[in-house]
Amino acid sequence: MGHIRLGTLQQSKKWRDVIGLLDAGADIESIADAAARASELDLRRASDDPLFQNVTQLLVRLPLLARAPGFADEMAKLGLSTESLSSVTGLLSGLNDVISQQAFEQGRSSDAGELARTALLESLSVQLRDKLPTLFEPTSQEVRAALASFSSGQAFSLLARDFFARLTYRSLDYYLSRELANHIGKGQRFGDDGDRIAFESALRQHTFEASKIVETFAGGWYGKTVWKEQTLSQDKINDFTRYAFKKLRSELGRRRTAA
């Protein structure tokens, strides 16, 4: 099975600008904005990647399927067994297997798809557990109800924000992590690995704060597309992801100039 990798940025002028900012000890806002600019083309292309599209379709459709009759049958069509729907862990493991099977059937995997897969599973894990009881293992009905709760515009906007925050951070880190190791040591940007880890934590927080812009429009898009227009084509979902990346990219730039 082939694997489609994201582009190589290291020889581009925009990526050299990122390295220059690291060398100069620039603030997190400037580095995040420059890294987003350098990877902008790859992020735009991600919406055209088949595995990435499979993941974003799950993000949008799962809450609606959980809300509607015949949930177990629809999950079975995806490849999830009844047993996998009895817990959050089972659901996440089943979804991971579904995405892997889709990649196998397509005859290829991709970096963009793998980043999206990780972001989706992390988001669902955190968001679902926040809605479920903590003292006792939730029932399958409670897991389904928690998933279905994201089918409202307001709740979906929170899930979408979490997903795109994680996806954007992981996309930036995909490029930056390979460069950061070159800036550790005496006289370098990072004195040791602890400094590098602190930088990555700050980048994660900065990306999450910037993702508020996604929350602002995701709920409106969901309500308009799903409930008003009664349509949810892959083209509509692709338009949504492209716009989310565009808004996040603009917000990272705005936060740099405002810092």
Side-chain angles (χ1 to χ4, degrees):
M1 182 171 69
H3 187 93
I4 308 302
R5 299 197 176 277
L6 292 174
T8 301
L9 304 180
Q10 278 71 4
Q11 297 180 359
S12 71
K13 179 182 182 304
K14 288 182 178 180
W15 185 249
R16 292 197 299 272
D17 290 342
V18 175
I19 297 174
L21 289 170
L22 285 168
D23 287 336
D27 55 50
I28 194 75
E29 292 83 6
S30 297
I31 294 173
D33 177 45
R37 288 177 182 275
S39 59
E40 184 175 9
L41 180 59
D42 277 345
L43 294 182
R44 288 208 309 266
R45 287 174 174 170
S47 296
D48 298 322
D49 178 83
L51 184 55
F52 182 93
Q53 291 178 356
N54 292 341
V55 174
T56 54
Q57 185 175 109
L58 289 172
L59 170 73
V60 177
R61 291 187 63 222
L62 281 174
L64 297 172
L65 293 176
R67 175 181 176 136
F71 176 60
D73 291 340
E74 291 297 328
M75 292 297 98
K77 291 177 183 178
L78 286 175
L80 275 77
S81 65
T82 302
E83 291 75 19
S84 68
L85 304 178
S86 61
S87 67
V88 174
T89 300
L91 175 63
L92 297 178
S93 177
L95 289 173
N96 186 56
D97 290 343
V98 165
I99 296 169
S100 294
Q101 181 62 30
Q102 290 171 335
F104 177 78
E105 290 173 356
Q106 291 168 354
R108 66 178 187 175
S109 60
S110 67
D111 287 345
E114 291 302 324
L115 292 172
R117 180 212 300 250
T118 301
L120 176 66
L121 297 179
E122 287 180 349
S123 292
L124 287 175
S125 177
V126 171
Q127 296 293 320
L128 285 174
R129 294 183 195 280
D130 283 348
K131 290 178 173 289
L132 290 167
T134 57
L135 294 179
F136 304 99
E137 186 69 22
T139 66
S140 57
Q141 291 81 5
E142 288 173 327
V143 173
R144 175 181 175 180
L147 184 59
S149 70
F150 293 113
S151 61
S152 72
Q154 182 177 4
F156 175 76
S157 69
L158 297 175
L159 178 63
R161 176 188 182 177
D162 191 271
F163 170 76
F164 279 102
R166 294 174 189 276
L167 178 58
T168 301
Y169 165 72
R170 287 189 169 277
S171 298
L172 298 182
D173 185 62
Y174 173 89
Y175 298 108
L176 282 170
S177 61
R178 290 174 286 180
E179 181 61 34
L180 297 184
N182 299 324
H183 299 265
I184 300 175
K186 186 177 180 179
Q188 299 292 320
R189 170 63 186 264
F190 310 111
D192 52 33
D193 279 335
D195 292 338
R196 176 187 57 80
I197 292 171
F199 172 87
E200 291 173 343
S201 296
L203 178 64
R204 183 184 294 107
Q205 180 61 30
H206 177 69
T207 307
F208 178 76
E209 292 172 359
S211 69
K212 180 69 176 179
I213 194 71
V214 174
E215 180 184 339
T216 301
F217 83 87
W221 173 85
Y222 201 71
K224 178 177 181 291
T225 305
V226 175
W227 302 118
K228 184 178 179 180
E229 297 182 2
Q230 295 289 303
T231 181
L232 196 58
S233 67
Q234 187 63 56
D235 286 342
K236 290 285 187 180
I237 297 174
N238 294 347
D239 289 343
F240 169 63
T241 59
R242 291 188 187 100
Y243 192 62
F245 278 136
K246 179 180 178 181
K247 295 290 285 185
L248 252 174
R249 166 68 200 86
S250 297
E251 181 64 10
L252 289 171
R254 188 197 69 78
R255 290 173 64 84
R256 177 186 62 81
T257 58

